[in-house]
Amino acid sequence: MGTTGDGVLPRRVIGTYALGSMGTGGFATLPGLVLIYYLTDTLGIAALWAGLLLALAKIWDVLIDPVIGIRSDRDLAVTGSRKRFMVAGSLLLPLFFILTFAVPLQLGQVAGGLWVLVAFTATATAFSLFQVPYMALPAELTISYDQRTRLLSIRVLVLSVAILLFGAGGPALRSLGGENQWLGYFLMAVVAGLLIGASMLASARVAPRGVRRTMPQAGLRQGYKQGLDVLRRSHPFRVLLLAFALQGLATGAMLAGAQYVATWVLHDEAAVTFLFIALIGPALLFAPVWRAVAQRVGKERGFVYSSVLFGIAALGLTGMLINPGPWVYLPVALAGAGYAGMQALPMSMLPDVITHDGLTHGPGNAGIFGGVWTAGETTGMAAGAAILTVVLAASGYAESVAGAAVTQQPSAITGIILAFSVLPAVVIAASLWVFKRYPLRESNFNQPHEASTGHEE
C-alpha cells in the first residue's frame, strides 16, 4: 500500500491501519488493568515494590522509544517503508507477554518480581518496535487535515473495541483458572498475547512503500538529540504531548485501580468486567459523535469538551466514599463518552503537528515524533499506575499471595476510591490548563505560507 496524497483514503487502508489498534489497545489495557494487581495479590509483592518494578520497565521504554523512532526514520530512508520494525515487534511481543504472566510461584517474591521485570521490559520493547512507526504512519498516509481526522476516528473506534475486548475478556479468561490463579493468568496471557500479535502483524501491511527520505543519522546520541530537537522547536508538539501525557496519567490511575475498586469497594472481583462495559460501550457510541463535533467546532474545542466531561464524571465517583453500589456505572459511562474524544482528537492532531513542523524543517521526521509521543504516552500511563501504588502503600493496603485471605483497613478503601476519582479529575484539569497554549488550527493548513505563526513561542 502506498501513500494516498490529499485525496480520500480508501476504506481498505483505513481498516488495515485501524486493525493495529486492536493490538495497541490490548497491550495498553490488559497489563495496565491486571499487572499491578497480579504483583500485589498473586505474587505477594508490596504495593510500592510493585510500582517500582513497573516504573523501571517503563523508564526503559521511555529511553528506547526515541531511539526506535530515529532508527525507524533511517529504515524508511533505506527501504522506503517502516514495515520491518512493525513486523519484528508483532512477532516478538506474544512470547514475552506470555512469559510475564508465567512466573513459577515457588520462585518467591524477589525472584518472581525480577522475572516480571525482565519479561515485561522485553514485552514493552517489542511493543515499541511496532507502536513508534505505527504512530508515524498517518502523516505519511495522507496530507489531508480532514482525512486524518477520519483515519484516527476509525482507529479510536477499533481502539475502544479492543479496550472492551481485553478489559472485559482478560479477567473473564483469568477466571477460567478457577482456584488456580497461576493457570488463569497464563491462559489469559496466551490468548491475549497471540491476538495482540496477530492484529499488529496484519496492520503492518498498511505501511507505505517507496517513501524515500534523506537518511538521518541513527546513533544513540543522535536519537536523543533529535528527540530533544523536535520538542524544543515545536511549541504545538510540546503542548499537545504534555496535555496527552497528563491525561494518560489520569486514565492510567483509573485503569490500574479498576480491579481494586471491583474487589474491595464493590466486593465483586468480576465487577471489573462490568466497569469496562460501562466505560467502553459509550466510547464506541461517541467516537463518531466527537468526529462530528470536531468538524463543526474544531478538534481543539472538541478535545476540551470531551476532557471536561471525563473530569466531571470521574469526580462524581467520590460518592463511593458514602455509598458504593451499582450507581457507579453511570458516571463511568459518562467518563467513557468523554474518553472517546480524549483519544481520537489528540491523535488526529499529532499528524497536523508533524506536517506543521515539516513545512519549515522538511519531511522525514515522523518516526522521531512518534518515538517521543510514545515515550510521553508511556510515561503518563506508567505514572498513573505508580501513583496508585503510592496511594495504596500510604493508605495501608495489605498485599497477599495467591489463595490467602486478607482484610483491608477502611483507610485503604478510601485510598482506592480517591485514586479512582479525585486524582484523575485533578489531573484532567491540569491537562486542560496546559492545552490552552496549543496554537494550531485548520487555517494553519489551509494557508500553508502562514503556518509559521504557530511554530514558535
Side-chain angles (χ1 to χ4, degrees), residues 111-268:
L114 291 175
W115 176 303
V116 171
L117 173 62
V118 173
F120 189 63
T121 299
T123 308
T125 303
F127 177 72
S128 291
L129 288 172
F130 175 86
Q131 169 79 344
V132 170
Y134 181 69
M135 292 300 298
L137 291 186
E140 295 164 358
L141 287 170
T142 176
I143 63 174
S144 168
Y145 184 87
D146 290 330
Q147 285 300 302
R148 287 171 183 166
T149 303
R150 176 175 171 237
L151 176 67
L152 273 299
S153 296
I154 301 301
R155 183 205 162 188
V156 170
L157 184 64
V158 175
L159 182 69
S160 298
V161 173
I163 293 172
L164 178 60
L165 177 64
F166 287 92
L173 284 170
R174 180 187 59 188
S175 68
L176 295 179
E179 296 297 322
N180 189 336
Q181 292 187 17
W182 186 94
L183 179 61
Y185 276 108
F186 183 75
L187 176 62
M188 176 199 74
V190 169
V191 175
L194 291 176
L195 183 55
I196 289 171
S199 62
M200 288 164 49
L201 184 62
S203 182
R205 295 174 52 248
V206 81
R209 293 189 278 275
V211 186
R212 300 284 178 175
R213 304 294 192 200
T214 300
M215 185 180 297
Q217 300 182 53
L220 180 66
R221 181 178 178 182
Q222 188 67 19
Y224 291 127
K225 181 180 182 300
Q226 291 203 17
L228 292 174
D229 283 347
V230 299
L231 280 172
R232 185 181 66 252
R233 75 186 185 222
S234 178
H235 171 60
F237 184 55
R238 290 198 303 274
V239 172
L240 184 63
L241 177 61
L242 181 55
F244 192 69
L246 284 170
Q247 296 202 344
L249 191 158
T251 55
M254 293 188 75
L255 181 64
Q259 184 67 74
Y260 293 94
V261 169
T263 302
W264 301 110
V265 180
L266 301 179
H267 304 292
D268 181 6

Side-chain angles (χ1 to χ4, degrees), residues 180-396:
N180 189 336
Q181 292 187 17
W182 186 94
L183 179 61
Y185 276 108
F186 183 75
L187 176 62
M188 176 199 74
V190 169
V191 175
L194 291 176
L195 183 55
I196 289 171
S199 62
M200 288 164 49
L201 184 62
S203 182
R205 295 174 52 248
V206 81
R209 293 189 278 275
V211 186
R212 300 284 178 175
R213 304 294 192 200
T214 300
M215 185 180 297
Q217 300 182 53
L220 180 66
R221 181 178 178 182
Q222 188 67 19
Y224 291 127
K225 181 180 182 300
Q226 291 203 17
L228 292 174
D229 283 347
V230 299
L231 280 172
R232 185 181 66 252
R233 75 186 185 222
S234 178
H235 171 60
F237 184 55
R238 290 198 303 274
V239 172
L240 184 63
L241 177 61
L242 181 55
F244 192 69
L246 284 170
Q247 296 202 344
L249 191 158
T251 55
M254 293 188 75
L255 181 64
Q259 184 67 74
Y260 293 94
V261 169
T263 302
W264 301 110
V265 180
L266 301 179
H267 304 292
D268 181 6
E269 188 169 303
V272 68
T273 298
F274 299 106
L275 286 172
F276 262 84
I277 292 173
L279 178 71
I280 304 305
L284 289 169
L285 294 175
F286 272 78
V289 172
W290 291 117
R291 179 186 171 194
V293 170
Q295 290 176 334
R296 184 174 182 85
V297 304
K299 301 177 188 180
E300 304 77 25
R301 289 175 66 183
F303 176 59
V304 171
Y305 296 160
S306 62
S307 302
V308 169
L309 177 59
F310 184 95
I312 292 174
L315 193 61
L317 289 166
T318 54
M320 290 188 292
L321 291 168
I322 301 172
N323 181 33
W327 64 266
V328 303
Y329 298 119
L330 176 58
V332 168
L334 292 175
Y339 177 75
M342 288 165 53
Q343 287 291 302
L345 299 177
M347 289 180 185
S348 68
M349 286 185 267
L350 176 61
D352 301 334
V353 169
I354 295 173
T355 296
H356 179 264
D357 180 79
L359 293 175
T360 51
H361 292 89
N365 294 306
I368 191 62
F369 272 94
V372 176
W373 179 270
T374 301
E377 181 181 13
T378 299
T379 300
M381 293 292 290
I387 290 175
L388 171 69
T389 63
V390 171
V391 172
L392 291 177
S395 60

Side-chain angles (χ1 to χ4, degrees), residues 23-24 27 57-72 82 84-90 92-93 96 120-136 196 200 367 370-379:
T24 62
F27 183 75
K58 293 299 184 179
I59 288 171
W60 167 256
D61 197 11
V62 169
L63 292 175
I64 201 67
D65 282 344
V67 178
I68 292 175
I70 188 65
R71 290 190 177 275
S72 174
R82 301 183 188 273
R84 293 198 304 183
F85 274 58
M86 298 172 72
V87 170
S90 304
L92 290 172
L93 185 143
F96 296 130
F120 189 63
T121 299
T123 308
T125 303
F127 177 72
S128 291
L129 288 172
F130 175 86
Q131 169 79 344
V132 170
Y134 181 69
M135 292 300 298
I196 289 171
M200 288 164 49
V372 176
W373 179 270
T374 301
E377 181 181 13
T378 299
T379 300

